[in-house]
Amino acid sequence: RKEVEQDPGPFNVPEGATVAFNCTYSNSASQSFFWYRQDCRKEPKLLMSVYSSGNEDGRFTAQLNRASQYISLLIRDSKLSDSATYLCVVNPGSFQKLVFGTGTRLLVSP
Amino acid sequence: SAVISQKPSRDICQRGTSLTIQCQVDSQVTMMFWYRQQPGQSLTLIATANQGSEATYESGFVIDKFPISRPNLTFSTLTVSNMSPEDSSIYLCSVERPGQGARNGELFFGEGSRLTVL
């Protein structure tokens, strides 16, 4: 089993739609979690950290489910500019290196 | 935030040659990280560059293949030595977000160096 698994997609949604991605992780001791966004041929950029209580930033909501070992990202009212690859990143803790998922590709169409 | 300048942004190289990638940060940072992102793959950490000491390499990466320099707190280089087509990839420099409260895992990345080896 991969340490971090994501559905590669692509998720094709119309503008205005709500879309959700999940990411599962294998190490139950993992300590912190992040979503990054990567545009085509660009570097990854931090979208948001994921906190235990869940957190929201505008149209984006991230949640953590430790019992089932997954994190989710919900995007409401999708915009064309949301089209990108969304990377799930897990910090296993204990000074281990970050683990990156392969990403979920989102395509928002007019 | 941190501004990271990386160069070259892209290059096409011949098999057997070496290429050095430079990474300049606009602020002093303790650690700089070098990642590789192969087509369709996730980011993989190559090594952590520490100022004043040898770089720390991850499993599967060795200093002879990927020598790293870290002469000061704002600059690092990664060399890809004796290149083969399998080294074709994007190489990314990264630093942690500065400031108190920053979580381990909040990173800034350079724009990447896209390397093609023929």
Side-chain angles (χ1 to χ4, degrees), chain A residues 14-79:
Chain A
E15 270 187 294
T18 296
V19 62
F21 314 131
N22 278 349
C23 165
T24 59
Y25 60 94
S26 61
N27 185 344
S28 60
S30 295
Q31 297 186 351
S32 51
F33 310 87
F34 309 88
W35 284 103
Y36 279 74
R37 170 192 170 127
Q38 187 171 25
D39 292 299
C40 188
R41 295 181 175 270
K42 297 285 189 180
E43 75 276 18
K45 293 182 179 178
L46 179 67
L47 178 65
M48 58 198 305
S49 300
V50 186
Y51 298 105
S52 297
S53 56
N55 47 303
E56 188 173 310
D57 183 2
R59 298 182 293 109
F60 298 84
T61 301
Q63 293 201 313
L64 167 65
N65 185 318
R66 284 195 180 272
S68 300
Q69 292 182 210
Y70 73 85
I71 65 173
S72 63
L73 178 67
L74 179 78
I75 306 175
R76 290 181 298 278
D77 188 23
S78 298
K79 311 292 185 189

Side-chain angles (χ1 to χ4, degrees), chain B residues 83-118:
Chain B
M83 289 183 286
S84 66
E86 292 72 34
D87 294 320
S88 297
S89 184
I90 300 172
Y91 293 85
L92 294 147
C93 171
S94 173
V95 303
E96 291 182 317
R97 184 169 76 89
Q100 285 188 331
R103 303 172 86 204
N104 183 11
E106 295 181 345
L107 302 175
F108 289 107
F109 286 89
E111 293 181 343
S113 299
R114 184 179 294 271
L115 174 62
T116 302
V117 184
L118 303 178

Side-chain angles (χ1 to χ4, degrees), chain A residues 36 43-46 98 100, chain B residues 2-6 21-25 29-36 43-49 70 73-74 76 78 91-97 104-112:
Chain A
Y36 279 74
E43 75 276 18
K45 293 182 179 178
L46 179 67
L98 294 176
F100 285 77
Chain B
V3 177
I4 304 174
S5 302
Q6 203 176 321
I21 302 167
Q22 299 180 6
C23 179
Q24 178 76 52
V25 188
V29 293
T30 305
M31 293 185 291
M32 295 175 75
F33 307 97
W34 286 99
Y35 283 87
R36 180 174 75 181
L43 274 76
T44 302
L45 181 64
I46 297 171
T48 301
R70 183 80 199 275
L73 290 172
T74 64
S76 179
L78 169 76
Y91 293 85
L92 294 147
C93 171
S94 173
V95 303
E96 291 182 317
R97 184 169 76 89
N104 183 11
E106 295 181 345
L107 302 175
F108 289 107
F109 286 89
E111 293 181 343

Side-chain angles (χ1 to χ4, degrees), chain B residues 17-21 65-67 78-83 87 91 115:
Chain B
T17 63
S18 298
L19 177 74
T20 295
I21 302 167
K65 177 66 175 177
F66 297 102
L78 169 76
T79 299
V80 186
S81 303
N82 187 25
M83 289 183 286
D87 294 320
Y91 293 85
L115 174 62

